[in-house]
Amino acid sequence: MIRRCLRFIMVWVGITLITFFLLRLTGSPARIVLGEFASDAAVLEFNQKYGLDQPLFTQYLSYISNVMRGDLGTSWRFGEPILKIIAARIPATLEMAFSSLAFSALLGIPLGVLAALKRETPLDYLSRGIVLIAQGIPNFFLAILLILLFGVALRWLPTGGRGEIKHLILPTIVLGLYLMPLTLRTTRGAVLDIIEQNYIRTARGKGVPENSVIWRHIFRNAIIPIVTILGLQIASLFNGAIITETIFSWPGIGRLIVAGVTGRDFPVVQGVVLILATVVVVINLAIDILYTVIDPRIRLE
């Protein structure tokens, strides 16, 4: 755990470096933040106020020292502390992210198990077809189709915003189907590997009930790659959330980072990227520790 925490610090520093310097390559944001008709004096005052007239390395050291004190800065457009803005938006993103992850798992894991148990049958071919279709449709295109069908034509569901549970249905389906193919394929492959093991044949030969063989022997030993994939999909969730939240006007982190990029609000982009990267790394560390709970034979080496 100590080694992994040290590795996390290296990743964290690398992320801050890359994000900081890539943003500065886009030039001064003063004209966009203040407006194209802002005077040169106003632009100069803006750059001096936020230290943009300083050398890049000096700006970076100042940024890191503030971050180490828990200060991610203040938004240039909203005029509020970054932590306050993120804290107000992150519940919406987590709500959509975990509902989508649950949708992906509840759909992908059972289908993957059934496809492996019914290998080379119509059910297996159907699951492969679902994977191909889900992988082949971009999530933004699927979102538009669902909006046109359920929001415009049938008027069953709202097409944007956040409030009631029905506002969550379309974003969950879009983001869940974006994640589901990998969950299904991983589950099918893991179960197929376990089925061929000798101890499964022995259990069946001893007359162990089939349900017990499937859930106690096959699925329990196949769970580690499935848990790994679900953990790695956290990063994909946040990537997909950027597009999904924008299309459905969902007031989360995805829309916030889009607004920060288009408005050249450097503190917002830096703060969101840093928070999301920290969440992903911590979740991966938690999954590594969870391995030892699932399978005591595994040790972190």
Side-chain angles (χ1 to χ4, degrees), residues 11-27:
V11 171
W12 185 82
V13 171
I15 288 170
T16 60
L17 275 168
I18 293 171
T19 307
F20 184 89
F21 286 104
L22 281 180
L23 285 172
R24 266 63 184 179
L25 290 177
T26 62

Side-chain angles (χ1 to χ4, degrees), residues 134-153:
Q135 284 183 322
I137 301 179
N139 59 339
F140 68 87
F141 182 68
L142 177 61
I144 294 172
L145 289 180
L146 293 179
I147 288 173
L148 290 175
L149 176 61
F150 294 104
V152 177

Side-chain angles (χ1 to χ4, degrees), residues 73-85 88 268:
T74 302
S75 170
W76 297 341
R77 297 189 66 187
F78 303 113
E80 296 182 352
I82 302 300
L83 283 176
K84 181 180 178 181
I85 297 174
V268 165

